[in-house]
Structures are given as C-alpha cells and as structure tokens.
Amino acid sequence: MTRPQLLIDTDPGVDDALAILMAHAHADVAGLSIAAGNVGLGHTVRNARTLVDLLGVATPIFAGCATPLVRAPDEDAAFVHGQDGFGDVGFPAPRAALTDEAAALALLRLTHERPGQLTLVALAPLTNLALALRIDPCLPERVARLVIMGGAVTGHGNTGNVPAEFNIGFDPEAAHVVFEAFPQFELVDWEATLRHAFDDAEFEGWLKQGDERAGFYDSIAGTARAYNAQHGRRGVIAADALAMAVAIDPSIVTRSEKRAVAVELDGRLTRGATVVDWAKRLGRPANADIVLEVDQARFAAMVRRALGAQD
Ligand code: BDR
Ligand code: CA
C-alpha cells in the first residue's frame, strides 16, 4: 500500500495524541491544523508541538480558531483529558515551531498545492474546516477524502445535550457548514468508538512492550482512563484513533451505511445532535458513509505499531 497523505485537524487531547502517533507511523502528514475543543487553543497548540518534539519530525503546525463560529460552548472536555489536555503531566516548554499561517488558510493552501492527493482527517470541532469552506467553497473538490470523527448516529452521545457527541456539540454551526458543503465524507461516530474499545489488559501489554511513544501515551492517558472507568465505560476508548485507522486504510471498514446526515442547531434538548435519515424518507443525497464496524485485529495492529509494540 502506498503511504496515504494526511492533513489533520485536531484538538490534542489524549485520543488525538494516539491518532497523531498512528498517522506518523503509517502515513505522510502534510500538517496539523489545530482547533480549540478538548481544552483551550493555547493548550491544544502546545500539545501538538509537544507531540512533534516527541516524534522528532518537522510536521508544520497551524493554529486555528480559539472559539466556535457562533455560540460559546457549554463545556470543554478538560474533565476527561486533564486541564492541559495531556493529563496534567507538566511537560517542559516544547521546541517545535508554530507557523504564523492561520489553520483555515493553511488548509486551503495545502490542498491547492496537492489537489486531489490529501485525505483530510477531522478529529476536533469543525470550526477551522467551516471557516476554510466559507473562504473557499471549492475546497471539497481538492480533497481526496474527508474522514470525520464526530456524531452519535442513534442518539447515544457523550455530552450534556444528551444525543450530541462532543466534536459536533462544541460547534454545531461549523459542523452544519461542513456537512452541507462536502458531498461525501466518512463518519466515524462516538457509538462506533464504544464498539471498538480495546481490552484493558491487552492495551497495558502494548504499553509495556512499546518504545518512548508508548511511555508518553501511558503518561498522558491516566486522567482519561480513570474518568472512563468511573463512568462505566468499558476498555480503552480511542475515538480519534479509530477515525485515523479508517483514514489511513479504508479497507479495514467491514460494515458501513450511506445516509443523509444533518446537524440539529436549535433543539431545546438536542442542539448538536447528528440526525440520520436511516429510513431514506427525505430524498436527500447521502452525504455520509457511516462507519459501523472495522476489522478490530487490523485496527489493533495499527495502534501497536504506532506505540512501537510490534509483535
Ligand atoms: C471526541 O471528542 C474529544 O473529546 C475526543 O478527542 C474526540 O475527538 C470524542 O467525542
Ligand atoms: Ca479530538
């Protein structure tokens, strides 16, 4: 398989970190555009730079929007990822450079430079992508694929707006812009994530066998793993890693359904919900290829290699 070329929009974040490790192990990474989400933009940018230091790569980092497009969010996810987004370990100041190009402009430039070659992987609230689309609505024509981690396709979300998933619920207007603008994207939702958690003991083994990447991930993941355990979530849940696996190798998908998906903007109890026309009643084009199952063994192998824990 030729190495895919990825452009990653991300809000690191513990599971973003694992996804970024995977991307650098299995693909060429054209850049990291950074969103606010899990924690504030200052932290997410710093965490991206810390990761680039760890990997010893020259991947460019572009800072994006510090706030959602329209409304202030109800909550961030510091209670899962730690106040700094990386488990409050207290890493030293990173050395990796931050470019002075805005994330939305970098998305446009890089897709102009490599038309039809880049897979856009969206692991964060969709603020930067929406802004890029408002500047240049032709962006989808220059992207090979768009893979989005977001949504909860049967309403089993993970936010205070019960059916909403975090990335969509944080900036529903941005998600609406993206879902309307891209004629086709692959959607890896929160519910698929729960179905593809890793066994705790097995994952511990990979962390022990792995290299400095495993040690790093182990150090940042404590807060998130404790939160998940306290809230009855089974195993090691890595939403962004699952989306990244699909982005790197779409042949790991074993079951998916194409449907029209729209974002609720106004609901009293449902703002940020992803509404799927499962019964195909509306006659709207099926914009989303909803990933339902992947080959778990192949997903696991991709994660092990990213942690330096190959068999
Ligand atoms: C998504 O929200 C964030 O907390 C994670 O990084 C992931 O992108 C899961 O709902
Ligand atoms: Ca994320």
Side-chain angles (χ1 to χ4, degrees):
M1 193 179 77
T2 53
R3 275 169 82 86
Q5 299 180 44
L6 307 179
L7 183 50
I8 305 169
D9 192 74
T10 174
D11 60 338
V14 175
D15 59 333
D16 299 78
L18 185 55
I20 291 166
L21 296 181
M22 290 168 71
H24 284 85
H26 297 276
D28 294 333
V29 183
L32 301 173
S33 65
I34 309 300
N38 282 323
V39 289
L41 187 70
H43 285 305
T44 56
V45 167
R46 182 182 166 119
N47 293 346
R49 295 172 62 210
T50 297
L51 275 168
V52 164
D53 280 352
L54 169 77
L55 288 163
V57 292
T59 307
I61 300 169
F62 310 97
C65 305
T67 61
L69 287 187
V70 180
R71 282 207 224 165
D74 296 335
E75 58 184 5
D76 65 15
F79 57 93
V80 181
H81 298 261
Q83 294 305 313
D84 69 358
F86 265 6
D88 298 322
V89 172
F91 292 108
R95 294 181 311 277
L98 172 67
T99 67
D100 58 7
E101 188 177 17
L105 299 179
L107 294 174
L108 297 177
R109 176 180 58 77
L110 287 164
T111 54
H112 269 295
E113 288 171 4
R114 305 193 206 177
Q117 294 172 38
L118 294 168
T119 290
L120 194 46
V121 195
L123 307 176
L126 292 161
T127 320
N128 293 332
L129 269 67
L131 193 58
L133 282 161
R134 284 298 191 242
I135 298 169
D136 179 3
C138 296
L139 172 64
E141 294 165 19
R142 299 192 302 277
V143 169
R145 294 164 58 213
L146 168 63
V147 179
I148 296 175
M149 190 286 125
V153 296
T154 66
H156 294 72
N158 61 355
T159 71
N161 287 351
V162 175
E165 176 278 334
F166 180 78
N167 285 343
I168 307 301
F170 189 88
D171 193 347
E173 282 76 17
H176 167 74
V177 169
V178 173
F179 280 38
E180 295 287 305
F182 272 82
Q184 185 77 85
F185 54 88
E186 291 142 81
L187 188 67
V188 179
D189 84 322
W190 175 249
E191 297 165 25
T193 294
L194 296 180
R195 288 194 296 277
H196 294 86
F198 296 115
D199 176 77
D200 278 303
E202 202 178 359
F203 197 87
E204 284 295 335
W206 305 342
L207 292 178
K208 286 202 179 73
Q209 289 158 27
D211 59 20
E212 69 282 358
R213 293 167 291 179
F216 176 86
Y217 184 79
D218 198 16
S219 72
I220 66 171
T223 321
R225 293 183 68 186
Y227 176 88
N228 288 337
Q230 282 157 17
H231 290 79
R233 293 178 179 170
R234 187 191 56 80
V236 177
I237 297 164
D240 293 337
L242 182 63
M244 184 56 74
V246 171
I248 292 166
D249 186 356
S251 76
I252 74 160
V253 177
T254 52
R255 192 162 67 92
S256 68
E257 294 275 359
K258 290 190 175 162
R259 289 291 187 282
V261 182
V263 178
E264 174 60 75
L265 301 178
D266 302 311
R268 185 171 61 90
L269 301 172
T270 55
R271 177 170 154 79
T274 40
V275 180
V276 182
D277 183 10
W278 285 112
K280 303 183 180 175
R281 285 170 184 271
L282 302 179
R284 298 190 65 197
N287 52 348
D289 194 0
I290 301 167
V291 172
L292 295 170
E293 302 292 341
V294 311
D295 182 324
Q296 185 76 4
R298 288 174 64 194
F299 175 32
M302 290 166 93
V303 170
R304 280 201 304 274
R305 184 163 151 203
L307 296 171
Q310 272 156 304
D311 305 312

